[in-house]
Amino acid sequence: MASDFEDLGQTVAAVIGLGSMGAGMARSMKRAGLDVVGYDIAPAAIDRFVADGGRGATSPGDAVRGADIIVSVVVNGAQTEALLFGAGGVASVMKPGSVFISSATMDPAVARDLAQQVESLGLHYLDAPISGGAAKASSGQLTIMASGSRAAFEAAQPALEAMAAKVYELGDAAGTGAAFKMINQLLAGVHIAAACEAIAFAAKQGLDLDKVYEVITASAGNSWMFENRIPHVLAGDYTPLSAVEIFVKDLGIVQDMARSERYPVPLVAAALQMYLAASGAGMGRDDDSSLARLYAQLSGAKLPGAAKGSR
Amino acid sequence: MASDFEDLGQTVAAVIGLGSMGAGMARSMKRAGLDVVGYDIAPAAIDRFVADGGRGATSPGDAVRGADIIVSVVVNGAQTEALLFGAGGVASVMKPGSVFISSATMDPAVARDLAQQVESLGLHYLDAPISGGAAKASSGQLTIMASGSRAAFEAAQPALEAMAAKVYELGDAAGTGAAFKMINQLLAGVHIAAACEAIAFAAKQGLDLDKVYEVITASAGNSWMFENRIPHVLAGDYTPLSAVEIFVKDLGIVQDMARSERYPVPLVAAALQMYLAASGAGMGRDDDSSLARLYAQLSGAKLPGAAKGSR
């Protein structure tokens, strides 16, 4: 299907992975005038994209053939590697001079390795993890932590401009963008766990939790994550905006990186155990603020909606 | 010395503890028109207060005799108890109807116990931990997390107004203010440790640390403490604004409270171990951001000024 449109002179962008982030990023690029073709392993995701006016592909190769820009919005490094070099991998069908924009969170060493393999084929690779959530993906307001060659940045420019409010240019080698993203995930993951440890401890003591939220968000104990996630706990609503499993994955990557570099991460290690416990207790696909429910279950603290239990 | 001024009709406030916080709070009350008398166990602190135009006392009892308001700015619950009920304790000389404003961070159970003893003597007790640092103490812009009887709040009003930009009225029983402060300290202590774990990990990977600061403070991984403390690390300047020992104390209180309530605090426990290690390595009286130096020493990460070692 994708090939019908190859010769219109428009920049063609292929988006692989049409989840809440990828679908929004595809929408932003279409709005900016790019010719966007989408693929997802879930046919329903492609159907939604087509119903939304998008152009669907029958396989990753079908999407990528003829594209100037490939935006990979898969889950992790392993999926990125499979997309590029697995069975039906797209590296072999990317057109000369095109760029692979990789947005999955991954170990910087994996990003460096993938970039080297892609570049050895005469193609460009931009290490470009994203931050901002589904709403900002859809409005073209993401933050992108990018590193790569000058040529990769130039080839990616129309897509970056369409998707992001802010592109940090972090260096000329793949891996640096990934490393910045891991530092952010380290802090984000620890802060969510700390916020949950604190709010359930406040509940255990019988404090007025709305007042705790008011006081802490105006005090030195505040974090972006406390401010953003604790309202879910106060509402007792654990509908996943970002799931527990995301931090099982991301803090796992941080812990593995740190182990291989002989760097101690006691706070990451403690937080990861709590994400694992929440996942083990059945909350893996619930909102990451579910750690507050876990602390409540472990201690008898009373939280709004916690009695509903895990799903 | 204090008694010379008893009959002028002004509200008399005694400040016990003239460190950077207490001296600033005394200054704010003087500026607001209160008659302020100060005492500290260190004669040099009294001398500085007198040189600054303050009125010094020869003992806690001398300061408190005739005061309408006593502001206790000592270090912890044990010092507060000694000030009230130890040898030369002031509870026995406080005048009827006067109020004891307790600002030290302490276990809520200790605050409840002290309040009960003070109130049984016909005196008032306001549980009033403070937040904001020396500059805000001096400018009368503190945040105060207060709880106590209506009568205690009323008696304390002139002092609260003079010292604070914001007074949270958190309930009618002592202990609630202390509990709110402990929730804040839990988060603050964990966030400083996480910030230090993250920035030294970034250094270990050779990232541009100024860029890390720029990206993180604009991202979901940000915290009040990351934003406030990491500049000390980037400057390699560990002059104490708040010392490592403060969090050895405060996370120790949180851990003890949590243990007695059968509430697990794995993040607090991990952070406390790092404060203990920093103190054990000789950095106890240095800035709390010294944990970054500790992580660097443990891992070989290169931080600005870290080679200077601990003092």
Side-chain angles (χ1 to χ4, degrees), chain A residues 168 179-180 183-184 187 191 197-198 200-201 204-205 212 216 218-222 224 257 261 263-268 295 299, chain B residues 168 179-180 184 187 191 194 197-198 200-201 204-205 212 218-224 257 261 263-268 295 299:
Chain A
Y168 289 105
F180 271 73
I183 297 294
N184 186 68
L187 289 161
H191 291 169
E197 187 164 304
F201 191 41
K204 177 77 174 171
Q205 294 171 75
V212 170
I216 293 298
S219 298
N222 196 27
W224 193 97
M257 287 169 63
E261 296 180 32
Y263 182 89
V265 284
L267 274 83
V268 166
Y295 279 100
S299 65
Chain B
Y168 289 106
F180 271 73
N184 186 67
L187 289 162
H191 292 169
E197 187 164 304
F201 191 41
K204 176 78 175 173
Q205 293 171 76
V212 170
S219 299
N222 196 28
S223 69
W224 194 97
M257 286 170 64
E261 296 181 31
Y263 183 89
V265 284
L267 274 83
V268 167
Y295 279 100
S299 66

Short mmCIF file of all heavy atoms in Angstrom, two decimals, chain A residues 168 179-180 183-184 187 191 197-198 200-201 204-205 212 216 218-222 224 257 261 263-268 295 299, chain B residues 168 179-180 184 187 191 194 197-198 200-201 204-205 212 218-224 257 261 263-268 295 299:
data_model
loop_
_atom_site.label_atom_id
_atom_site.label_comp_id
_atom_site.label_asym_id
_atom_site.label_seq_id
_atom_site.Cartn_x
_atom_site.Cartn_y
_atom_site.Cartn_z
N TYR A 168 16.61 18.38 22.59
CA TYR A 168 17.95 18.57 23.13
C TYR A 168 18.94 17.89 22.20
O TYR A 168 18.82 16.69 21.95
CB TYR A 168 18.06 17.97 24.53
CG TYR A 168 17.30 18.75 25.58
CD1 TYR A 168 16.11 18.28 26.09
CD2 TYR A 168 17.79 19.97 26.04
CE1 TYR A 168 15.40 19.01 27.05
CE2 TYR A 168 17.09 20.70 26.99
CZ TYR A 168 15.90 20.22 27.50
OH TYR A 168 15.22 20.93 28.43
N ALA A 179 21.51 7.66 27.30
CA ALA A 179 22.06 7.82 28.66
C ALA A 179 21.32 8.92 29.42
O ALA A 179 21.00 8.76 30.61
CB ALA A 179 23.56 8.13 28.59
N PHE A 180 21.04 10.03 28.75
CA PHE A 180 20.26 11.10 29.42
C PHE A 180 18.88 10.57 29.82
O PHE A 180 18.39 10.85 30.91
CB PHE A 180 20.10 12.30 28.48
CG PHE A 180 21.21 13.31 28.60
CD1 PHE A 180 22.47 13.04 28.09
CD2 PHE A 180 21.00 14.53 29.22
CE1 PHE A 180 23.50 13.97 28.20
CE2 PHE A 180 22.02 15.47 29.35
CZ PHE A 180 23.28 15.19 28.83
N ILE A 183 19.09 8.54 32.98
CA ILE A 183 19.22 9.38 34.19
C ILE A 183 17.85 9.91 34.60
O ILE A 183 17.47 9.90 35.78
CB ILE A 183 20.21 10.55 33.95
CG1 ILE A 183 21.63 10.03 33.65
CG2 ILE A 183 20.22 11.50 35.14
CD1 ILE A 183 22.30 9.31 34.79
N ASN A 184 17.08 10.34 33.61
CA ASN A 184 15.73 10.82 33.91
C ASN A 184 14.86 9.70 34.48
O ASN A 184 14.13 9.90 35.47
CB ASN A 184 15.06 11.38 32.65
CG ASN A 184 13.71 12.02 32.96
OD1 ASN A 184 13.62 13.04 33.61
ND2 ASN A 184 12.64 11.38 32.49
N LEU A 187 15.63 8.89 38.15
CA LEU A 187 15.01 9.83 39.09
C LEU A 187 13.50 9.67 39.11
O LEU A 187 12.88 9.61 40.19
CB LEU A 187 15.38 11.26 38.70
CG LEU A 187 16.85 11.62 38.97
CD1 LEU A 187 17.27 12.85 38.17
CD2 LEU A 187 17.07 11.86 40.47
N HIS A 191 11.45 8.64 42.39
CA HIS A 191 10.52 9.64 42.94
C HIS A 191 9.10 9.11 43.07
O HIS A 191 8.38 9.45 44.02
CB HIS A 191 10.54 10.90 42.07
CG HIS A 191 11.83 11.67 42.13
ND1 HIS A 191 12.13 12.69 41.27
CD2 HIS A 191 12.90 11.55 42.96
CE1 HIS A 191 13.33 13.17 41.56
NE2 HIS A 191 13.82 12.48 42.58
N GLU A 197 5.66 5.76 49.02
CA GLU A 197 6.08 5.43 50.39
C GLU A 197 5.60 6.52 51.36
O GLU A 197 5.12 6.23 52.45
CB GLU A 197 7.61 5.30 50.43
CG GLU A 197 8.18 4.80 51.74
CD GLU A 197 9.65 4.32 51.60
OE1 GLU A 197 9.91 3.44 50.74
OE2 GLU A 197 10.53 4.81 52.33
N ALA A 198 5.70 7.79 50.93
CA ALA A 198 5.35 8.92 51.80
C ALA A 198 3.84 9.04 51.99
O ALA A 198 3.36 9.24 53.11
CB ALA A 198 5.92 10.21 51.22
N ALA A 200 1.41 6.82 51.64
CA ALA A 200 0.79 5.74 52.42
C ALA A 200 1.23 5.81 53.88
O ALA A 200 0.47 5.43 54.77
CB ALA A 200 1.13 4.38 51.80
N PHE A 201 2.46 6.32 54.12
CA PHE A 201 2.90 6.52 55.51
C PHE A 201 2.05 7.61 56.17
O PHE A 201 1.67 7.49 57.34
CB PHE A 201 4.39 6.90 55.52
CG PHE A 201 5.04 6.90 56.87
CD1 PHE A 201 4.77 5.91 57.81
CD2 PHE A 201 5.96 7.89 57.21
CE1 PHE A 201 5.40 5.91 59.06
CE2 PHE A 201 6.59 7.89 58.45
CZ PHE A 201 6.30 6.90 59.37
N LYS A 204 -1.16 5.99 57.00
CA LYS A 204 -1.00 5.13 58.16
C LYS A 204 -1.11 5.93 59.47
O LYS A 204 -1.59 5.43 60.48
CB LYS A 204 0.38 4.44 58.07
CG LYS A 204 0.75 3.55 59.24
CD LYS A 204 0.05 2.21 59.22
CE LYS A 204 0.56 1.31 60.34
NZ LYS A 204 -0.25 0.10 60.47
N GLN A 205 -0.64 7.18 59.42
CA GLN A 205 -0.71 8.04 60.61
C GLN A 205 -2.03 8.80 60.72
O GLN A 205 -2.20 9.61 61.62
CB GLN A 205 0.45 9.05 60.59
CG GLN A 205 1.80 8.40 60.74
CD GLN A 205 2.92 9.39 60.48
OE1 GLN A 205 3.19 10.22 61.33
NE2 GLN A 205 3.52 9.30 59.32
N VAL A 212 -1.86 16.98 53.02
CA VAL A 212 -0.48 16.55 52.77
C VAL A 212 -0.07 16.95 51.36
O VAL A 212 1.02 17.51 51.14
CB VAL A 212 -0.32 15.02 52.96
CG1 VAL A 212 1.05 14.55 52.47
CG2 VAL A 212 -0.53 14.64 54.43
N ILE A 216 3.02 19.48 50.80
CA ILE A 216 4.24 18.96 50.17
C ILE A 216 4.50 19.63 48.81
O ILE A 216 5.64 19.98 48.49
CB ILE A 216 4.16 17.42 49.99
CG1 ILE A 216 4.17 16.74 51.37
CG2 ILE A 216 5.32 16.91 49.13
CD1 ILE A 216 5.41 16.95 52.19
N ALA A 218 4.02 22.48 48.03
CA ALA A 218 4.55 23.84 48.26
C ALA A 218 5.84 23.82 49.07
O ALA A 218 6.31 24.87 49.50
CB ALA A 218 3.49 24.68 48.99
N SER A 219 6.42 22.63 49.27
CA SER A 219 7.58 22.52 50.18
C SER A 219 8.78 21.89 49.47
O SER A 219 8.70 21.47 48.31
CB SER A 219 7.20 21.67 51.40
OG SER A 219 6.16 22.30 52.14
N ALA A 220 9.87 21.78 50.21
CA ALA A 220 11.13 21.27 49.65
C ALA A 220 11.07 19.78 49.35
O ALA A 220 11.93 19.25 48.65
CB ALA A 220 12.27 21.56 50.62
N GLY A 221 10.04 19.08 49.84
CA GLY A 221 9.90 17.66 49.57
C GLY A 221 9.22 17.37 48.23
O GLY A 221 9.01 16.20 47.88
N ASN A 222 8.91 18.39 47.47
CA ASN A 222 8.15 18.18 46.24
C ASN A 222 9.00 17.59 45.11
O ASN A 222 10.22 17.78 45.07
CB ASN A 222 7.56 19.51 45.76
CG ASN A 222 6.44 19.32 44.74
OD1 ASN A 222 5.76 18.30 44.74
ND2 ASN A 222 6.25 20.29 43.86
N TRP A 224 8.37 16.53 40.65
CA TRP A 224 7.44 16.53 39.53
C TRP A 224 6.52 15.32 39.65
O TRP A 224 5.31 15.42 39.43
CB TRP A 224 8.24 16.48 38.22
CG TRP A 224 7.43 16.79 36.99
CD1 TRP A 224 7.35 17.99 36.36
CD2 TRP A 224 6.59 15.87 36.26
NE1 TRP A 224 6.50 17.89 35.28
CE2 TRP A 224 6.03 16.61 35.18
CE3 TRP A 224 6.26 14.54 36.40
CZ2 TRP A 224 5.16 16.02 34.25
CZ3 TRP A 224 5.38 13.96 35.47
CH2 TRP A 224 4.85 14.70 34.43
N MET A 257 22.89 -1.54 33.84
CA MET A 257 23.97 -0.63 33.43
C MET A 257 24.93 -0.37 34.59
O MET A 257 26.15 -0.41 34.43
CB MET A 257 23.40 0.74 33.02
CG MET A 257 22.67 0.81 31.72
SD MET A 257 21.80 2.44 31.58
CE MET A 257 23.19 3.59 31.58
N GLU A 261 28.92 -1.25 35.10
CA GLU A 261 29.90 -0.17 35.28
C GLU A 261 30.48 -0.15 36.70
O GLU A 261 31.23 0.77 37.04
CB GLU A 261 29.24 1.19 34.99
CG GLU A 261 28.80 1.33 33.55
CD GLU A 261 28.15 2.69 33.29
OE1 GLU A 261 28.54 3.67 33.94
OE2 GLU A 261 27.25 2.76 32.44
N TYR A 263 28.92 0.56 39.52
CA TYR A 263 28.41 1.77 40.15
C TYR A 263 27.25 1.36 41.06
O TYR A 263 26.29 0.73 40.60
CB TYR A 263 27.94 2.77 39.08
CG TYR A 263 27.46 4.07 39.67
CD1 TYR A 263 28.33 5.12 39.91
CD2 TYR A 263 26.12 4.22 40.03
CE1 TYR A 263 27.88 6.31 40.49
CE2 TYR A 263 25.67 5.40 40.61
CZ TYR A 263 26.57 6.44 40.83
OH TYR A 263 26.13 7.60 41.41
N PRO A 264 27.31 1.71 42.35
CA PRO A 264 26.22 1.29 43.27
C PRO A 264 24.99 2.18 43.16
O PRO A 264 25.11 3.41 43.13
CB PRO A 264 26.87 1.45 44.65
CG PRO A 264 27.88 2.55 44.47
CD PRO A 264 28.35 2.49 43.03
N VAL A 265 23.81 1.57 43.10
CA VAL A 265 22.56 2.33 43.01
C VAL A 265 21.56 1.84 44.07
O VAL A 265 20.52 1.27 43.75
CB VAL A 265 21.91 2.25 41.60
CG1 VAL A 265 22.65 3.14 40.62
CG2 VAL A 265 21.87 0.81 41.09
N PRO A 266 21.86 2.09 45.36
CA PRO A 266 20.98 1.54 46.41
C PRO A 266 19.55 2.06 46.34
O PRO A 266 18.62 1.32 46.66
CB PRO A 266 21.68 1.98 47.71
CG PRO A 266 22.62 3.08 47.31
CD PRO A 266 23.04 2.80 45.90
N LEU A 267 19.35 3.31 45.92
CA LEU A 267 17.98 3.81 45.86
C LEU A 267 17.21 3.17 44.70
O LEU A 267 16.05 2.80 44.85
CB LEU A 267 17.95 5.34 45.78
CG LEU A 267 17.99 5.95 47.20
CD1 LEU A 267 19.41 6.03 47.72
CD2 LEU A 267 17.29 7.26 47.26
N VAL A 268 17.87 3.06 43.55
CA VAL A 268 17.24 2.37 42.42
C VAL A 268 16.89 0.93 42.81
O VAL A 268 15.80 0.44 42.51
CB VAL A 268 18.17 2.38 41.20
CG1 VAL A 268 17.70 1.39 40.13
CG2 VAL A 268 18.27 3.78 40.61
N TYR A 295 2.07 -0.39 49.39
CA TYR A 295 2.46 0.03 50.75
C TYR A 295 1.27 -0.08 51.70
O TYR A 295 1.42 -0.49 52.85
CB TYR A 295 2.99 1.46 50.75
CG TYR A 295 4.43 1.63 50.32
CD1 TYR A 295 4.77 2.04 49.03
CD2 TYR A 295 5.48 1.41 51.21
CE1 TYR A 295 6.08 2.22 48.64
CE2 TYR A 295 6.80 1.58 50.83
CZ TYR A 295 7.10 1.98 49.54
OH TYR A 295 8.41 2.16 49.16
N SER A 299 0.87 -2.62 55.08
CA SER A 299 0.92 -1.95 56.38
C SER A 299 -0.43 -1.72 57.02
O SER A 299 -0.51 -1.30 58.18
CB SER A 299 1.60 -0.59 56.22
OG SER A 299 0.80 0.26 55.41
N TYR B 168 0.57 26.78 57.91
CA TYR B 168 -0.45 25.75 57.71
C TYR B 168 -1.05 25.41 59.07
O TYR B 168 -0.31 25.02 59.98
CB TYR B 168 0.15 24.50 57.08
CG TYR B 168 0.53 24.70 55.63
CD1 TYR B 168 1.86 24.81 55.26
CD2 TYR B 168 -0.45 24.77 54.64
CE1 TYR B 168 2.21 25.00 53.92
CE2 TYR B 168 -0.11 24.96 53.30
CZ TYR B 168 1.22 25.07 52.95
OH TYR B 168 1.57 25.26 51.64
N ALA B 179 4.16 15.44 62.33
CA ALA B 179 3.97 14.34 61.36
C ALA B 179 4.07 14.86 59.93
O ALA B 179 4.69 14.22 59.06
CB ALA B 179 2.61 13.68 61.58
N PHE B 180 3.49 16.02 59.65
CA PHE B 180 3.62 16.61 58.31
C PHE B 180 5.10 16.89 58.00
O PHE B 180 5.58 16.64 56.90
CB PHE B 180 2.81 17.92 58.22
CG PHE B 180 1.40 17.71 57.76
CD1 PHE B 180 0.45 17.16 58.61
CD2 PHE B 180 0.99 18.08 56.48
CE1 PHE B 180 -0.86 16.96 58.20
CE2 PHE B 180 -0.31 17.88 56.06
CZ PHE B 180 -1.24 17.33 56.92
N ASN B 184 7.54 15.47 54.92
CA ASN B 184 8.39 16.31 54.06
C ASN B 184 9.85 15.88 54.13
O ASN B 184 10.54 15.81 53.11
CB ASN B 184 8.26 17.77 54.48
CG ASN B 184 9.01 18.70 53.53
OD1 ASN B 184 8.64 18.86 52.37
ND2 ASN B 184 10.10 19.29 54.01
N LEU B 187 10.62 12.71 52.11
CA LEU B 187 10.77 12.97 50.67
C LEU B 187 12.05 13.76 50.39
O LEU B 187 12.81 13.43 49.47
CB LEU B 187 9.55 13.73 50.15
CG LEU B 187 8.28 12.89 50.09
CD1 LEU B 187 7.03 13.77 50.01
CD2 LEU B 187 8.33 11.95 48.87
N HIS B 191 15.03 12.39 48.11
CA HIS B 191 15.28 13.10 46.85
C HIS B 191 16.72 13.60 46.74
O HIS B 191 17.30 13.59 45.65
CB HIS B 191 14.32 14.29 46.71
CG HIS B 191 12.90 13.89 46.51
ND1 HIS B 191 11.85 14.77 46.58
CD2 HIS B 191 12.33 12.67 46.23
CE1 HIS B 191 10.71 14.13 46.35
NE2 HIS B 191 10.98 12.86 46.15
N ALA B 194 18.72 10.53 45.88
CA ALA B 194 18.46 10.15 44.48
C ALA B 194 19.16 11.11 43.52
O ALA B 194 19.74 10.68 42.51
CB ALA B 194 16.96 10.14 44.20
N GLU B 197 22.79 10.15 43.59
CA GLU B 197 22.98 8.88 42.88
C GLU B 197 22.94 9.11 41.37
O GLU B 197 23.75 8.55 40.62
CB GLU B 197 21.88 7.89 43.31
CG GLU B 197 22.04 6.47 42.79
CD GLU B 197 21.15 5.46 43.55
OE1 GLU B 197 21.25 5.38 44.80
OE2 GLU B 197 20.37 4.75 42.90
N ALA B 198 22.02 9.96 40.93
CA ALA B 198 21.85 10.21 39.49
C ALA B 198 22.99 11.04 38.90
O ALA B 198 23.51 10.72 37.83
CB ALA B 198 20.51 10.91 39.24
N ALA B 200 26.08 11.54 39.96
CA ALA B 200 27.38 10.85 39.91
C ALA B 200 27.35 9.71 38.89
O ALA B 200 28.37 9.40 38.28
CB ALA B 200 27.76 10.34 41.30
N PHE B 201 26.18 9.11 38.69
CA PHE B 201 26.04 8.08 37.64
C PHE B 201 26.21 8.72 36.26
O PHE B 201 26.86 8.15 35.37
CB PHE B 201 24.66 7.41 37.76
CG PHE B 201 24.49 6.17 36.92
CD1 PHE B 201 25.50 5.23 36.79
CD2 PHE B 201 23.28 5.94 36.26
CE1 PHE B 201 25.32 4.07 36.01
CE2 PHE B 201 23.10 4.79 35.49
CZ PHE B 201 24.11 3.87 35.36
N LYS B 204 29.84 9.25 35.89
CA LYS B 204 30.52 7.97 35.61
C LYS B 204 30.44 7.63 34.12
O LYS B 204 31.37 7.02 33.57
CB LYS B 204 29.83 6.88 36.45
CG LYS B 204 30.33 5.47 36.23
CD LYS B 204 31.65 5.20 36.93
CE LYS B 204 32.06 3.73 36.76
NZ LYS B 204 33.39 3.46 37.28
N GLN B 205 29.35 8.04 33.47
CA GLN B 205 29.18 7.78 32.04
C GLN B 205 29.78 8.87 31.16
O GLN B 205 29.65 8.82 29.94
CB GLN B 205 27.69 7.64 31.70
CG GLN B 205 27.06 6.40 32.32
CD GLN B 205 25.56 6.42 32.15
OE1 GLN B 205 25.05 6.16 31.08
NE2 GLN B 205 24.85 6.76 33.21
N VAL B 212 23.02 17.81 31.78
CA VAL B 212 22.14 16.93 32.57
C VAL B 212 21.25 17.78 33.47
O VAL B 212 20.03 17.57 33.55
CB VAL B 212 22.96 15.93 33.42
CG1 VAL B 212 22.06 15.19 34.41
CG2 VAL B 212 23.68 14.92 32.52
N ALA B 218 14.03 20.32 33.44
CA ALA B 218 12.89 20.57 32.54
C ALA B 218 12.10 19.30 32.27
O ALA B 218 11.24 19.28 31.40
CB ALA B 218 13.40 21.16 31.23
N SER B 219 12.39 18.21 33.00
CA SER B 219 11.78 16.92 32.69
C SER B 219 11.04 16.33 33.90
O SER B 219 11.06 16.89 34.99
CB SER B 219 12.86 15.93 32.22
OG SER B 219 13.48 16.42 31.04
N ALA B 220 10.44 15.18 33.68
CA ALA B 220 9.63 14.53 34.72
C ALA B 220 10.48 13.99 35.86
O ALA B 220 9.95 13.64 36.91
CB ALA B 220 8.81 13.40 34.10
N GLY B 221 11.79 13.91 35.69
CA GLY B 221 12.67 13.44 36.75
C GLY B 221 13.05 14.52 37.75
O GLY B 221 13.82 14.27 38.68
N ASN B 222 12.50 15.71 37.60
CA ASN B 222 12.93 16.82 38.46
C ASN B 222 12.34 16.72 39.88
O ASN B 222 11.28 16.13 40.09
CB ASN B 222 12.49 18.15 37.84
CG ASN B 222 13.22 19.35 38.45
OD1 ASN B 222 14.36 19.21 38.92
ND2 ASN B 222 12.59 20.51 38.44
N SER B 223 13.07 17.28 40.81
CA SER B 223 12.55 17.47 42.17
C SER B 223 13.04 18.82 42.68
O SER B 223 14.02 19.37 42.15
CB SER B 223 13.04 16.37 43.11
OG SER B 223 14.44 16.49 43.35
N TRP B 224 12.38 19.32 43.69
CA TRP B 224 12.83 20.58 44.32
C TRP B 224 14.27 20.42 44.77
O TRP B 224 15.09 21.32 44.58
CB TRP B 224 11.92 20.91 45.51
CG TRP B 224 12.06 22.31 46.03
CD1 TRP B 224 11.27 23.38 45.72
CD2 TRP B 224 13.06 22.80 46.94
NE1 TRP B 224 11.72 24.49 46.39
CE2 TRP B 224 12.81 24.17 47.14
CE3 TRP B 224 14.14 22.21 47.60
CZ2 TRP B 224 13.60 24.96 47.98
CZ3 TRP B 224 14.94 23.00 48.43
CH2 TRP B 224 14.67 24.36 48.62
N MET B 257 10.05 5.80 63.60
CA MET B 257 8.58 5.90 63.59
C MET B 257 7.97 4.75 62.80
O MET B 257 7.01 4.11 63.23
CB MET B 257 8.13 7.19 62.89
CG MET B 257 8.32 8.48 63.64
SD MET B 257 7.99 9.90 62.52
CE MET B 257 6.24 9.66 62.14
N GLU B 261 5.52 1.62 63.93
CA GLU B 261 4.17 1.49 63.35
C GLU B 261 4.05 0.28 62.43
O GLU B 261 3.02 0.10 61.79
CB GLU B 261 3.82 2.76 62.56
CG GLU B 261 3.74 4.00 63.43
CD GLU B 261 3.36 5.24 62.63
OE1 GLU B 261 2.62 5.11 61.64
OE2 GLU B 261 3.82 6.33 62.99
N TYR B 263 5.54 -0.22 59.53
CA TYR B 263 5.37 0.31 58.18
C TYR B 263 6.73 0.23 57.48
O TYR B 263 7.73 0.75 57.99
CB TYR B 263 4.89 1.77 58.24
CG TYR B 263 4.64 2.35 56.86
CD1 TYR B 263 3.40 2.23 56.26
CD2 TYR B 263 5.66 3.00 56.17
CE1 TYR B 263 3.18 2.74 54.99
CE2 TYR B 263 5.44 3.51 54.89
CZ TYR B 263 4.20 3.38 54.31
OH TYR B 263 3.99 3.87 53.06
N PRO B 264 6.80 -0.44 56.33
CA PRO B 264 8.11 -0.61 55.65
C PRO B 264 8.50 0.65 54.87
O PRO B 264 7.69 1.22 54.15
CB PRO B 264 7.85 -1.77 54.69
CG PRO B 264 6.39 -1.68 54.37
CD PRO B 264 5.70 -1.08 55.59
N VAL B 265 9.77 1.06 55.02
CA VAL B 265 10.27 2.24 54.30
C VAL B 265 11.58 1.91 53.57
O VAL B 265 12.64 2.42 53.92
CB VAL B 265 10.47 3.46 55.23
CG1 VAL B 265 9.15 4.10 55.58
CG2 VAL B 265 11.23 3.07 56.50
N PRO B 266 11.51 1.07 52.54
CA PRO B 266 12.76 0.65 51.89
C PRO B 266 13.56 1.79 51.27
O PRO B 266 14.80 1.74 51.27
CB PRO B 266 12.28 -0.35 50.82
CG PRO B 266 10.82 -0.09 50.66
CD PRO B 266 10.33 0.40 51.97
N LEU B 267 12.88 2.81 50.74
CA LEU B 267 13.64 3.91 50.14
C LEU B 267 14.32 4.75 51.21
O LEU B 267 15.48 5.15 51.06
CB LEU B 267 12.75 4.76 49.23
CG LEU B 267 12.69 4.15 47.82
CD1 LEU B 267 11.67 3.05 47.73
CD2 LEU B 267 12.51 5.21 46.77
N VAL B 268 13.60 5.02 52.29
CA VAL B 268 14.22 5.74 53.42
C VAL B 268 15.41 4.96 53.95
O VAL B 268 16.48 5.53 54.21
CB VAL B 268 13.19 5.97 54.54
CG1 VAL B 268 13.87 6.41 55.84
CG2 VAL B 268 12.16 7.00 54.11
N TYR B 295 29.26 8.83 46.31
CA TYR B 295 29.04 7.97 45.15
C TYR B 295 30.25 8.02 44.22
O TYR B 295 30.65 7.00 43.65
CB TYR B 295 27.79 8.40 44.36
CG TYR B 295 26.46 7.92 44.94
CD1 TYR B 295 25.66 8.75 45.70
CD2 TYR B 295 26.01 6.63 44.67
CE1 TYR B 295 24.43 8.32 46.19
CE2 TYR B 295 24.78 6.19 45.16
CZ TYR B 295 24.00 7.04 45.92
OH TYR B 295 22.79 6.61 46.41
N SER B 299 32.86 4.83 43.20
CA SER B 299 32.74 4.32 41.83
C SER B 299 33.80 4.83 40.87
O SER B 299 33.88 4.37 39.74
CB SER B 299 31.37 4.73 41.26
OG SER B 299 31.32 6.15 41.12
#
